[in-house]
Amino acid sequence: MKVRTSLRSLKRKPGSTVVRRRGRVVVVNRLNPQWKSRQG
């Protein structure tokens, strides 16, 4: 999982969903798990 300051470019990718977990914003992509990341 990558840690990024901004998830704007990742949430536009196909198959990605934005989830809030424990106060953090997480992008999970089922089509390409390489793009899994959290903000912070």
Side-chain angles (χ1 to χ4, degrees), residues 9 20 32-33 35:
S9 61
R20 291 203 65 176
N32 195 346
W35 289 330

Side-chain angles (χ1 to χ4, degrees), residues 20-38:
R20 291 203 65 176
R21 291 182 184 165
R22 299 185 187 96
R24 289 175 175 162
V25 183
V26 178
V27 171
V28 180
N29 198 315
R30 294 196 171 177
L31 297 178
N32 195 346
Q34 176 182 350
W35 289 330
K36 188 165 95 172
S37 63
R38 78 168 170 85

Side-chain angles (χ1 to χ4, degrees), residues 2-21:
K2 298 184 182 78
V3 178
R4 296 171 60 106
T5 56
S6 178
L7 301 176
R8 184 174 292 171
S9 61
L10 288 172
K11 71 180 184 181
R12 292 194 194 123
K13 306 246 186 212
S16 65
T17 56
V18 180
V19 186
R20 291 203 65 176
R21 291 182 184 165

